[in-house]
Amino acid sequence: MVEHGGDTTATGHTRRSRLYDYADMAGADQPRPDAREETERRRRAFAVLLGEFRRTPVLVPLGDGPGPDAERGLLTADLGGVRFILAFSDEQALARYAIARGEAGREWRYRTVLGARLLDAAVPAAGVPCGAAVDCADGEDGMVFPPVRGVVPDAVAVSADGGAGDHA
């Protein structure tokens, strides 16, 4: 997720799409793992990342409220009808985000929040489909935790049919 529009002209090159990497792999002469095995391997890897995130304190910038005395909420970004709370692994990651937005000169207030609290308390409080985006200015090194079962509480998870919550 890139908020600065993905402008790569500043660096002088265009990044290669990860789709090309997948296309290259499809043509390789290596034996292809069973799709189920690969899916299970990726699920386990994601579960490890999720567990680490839940145990880790992250920096969550505070967004500007509607007035000077208003309580400041958490900084979010909306993408494809889903709200993401922006979180950062450290001050350097937050600084990279500020630079990417062209806002390095302003003061960035933040709270330190345990990842589990972010997913279990802040996400449900959003009132809309919501997940968390970690280190979103870091390209492939960033991580997105979508509002799906197993990541956020079931009551606020988005189902495959586009609905939210636990509907029987």
Side-chain angles (χ1 to χ4, degrees), residues 98-139:
I99 291 167
R101 289 184 52 96
E103 297 180 25
R106 82 168 178 94
E107 179 181 2
W108 286 81
R109 294 189 177 153
Y110 60 85
R111 290 187 180 172
T112 302
V113 179
L114 197 60
R117 184 159 172 78
L118 194 65
L119 294 175
D120 297 342
V123 163
V128 297
C130 185
V134 183
D135 295 343
C136 58
D138 291 349

Side-chain angles (χ1 to χ4, degrees), residues 20-54:
Y20 285 108
D21 295 333
Y22 291 119
D24 289 346
M25 286 189 297
D29 291 332
Q30 300 174 357
R32 188 167 177 198
D34 178 60
R36 287 184 192 168
E37 290 175 16
E38 180 65 15
T39 299
E40 188 55 35
R41 185 191 66 75
R42 288 178 184 230
R43 277 194 183 125
R44 284 191 305 269
F46 182 78
V48 168
L49 285 172
L50 177 61
E52 186 66 26
F53 175 71
R54 293 183 66 78

Side-chain angles (χ1 to χ4, degrees), residues 81-82 128-131 146-149 152-166:
V82 177
V128 297
C130 185
V148 297
R149 289 177 191 240
V152 301
D154 287 350
V156 295
V158 177
S159 65
D161 64 3
D166 223 357

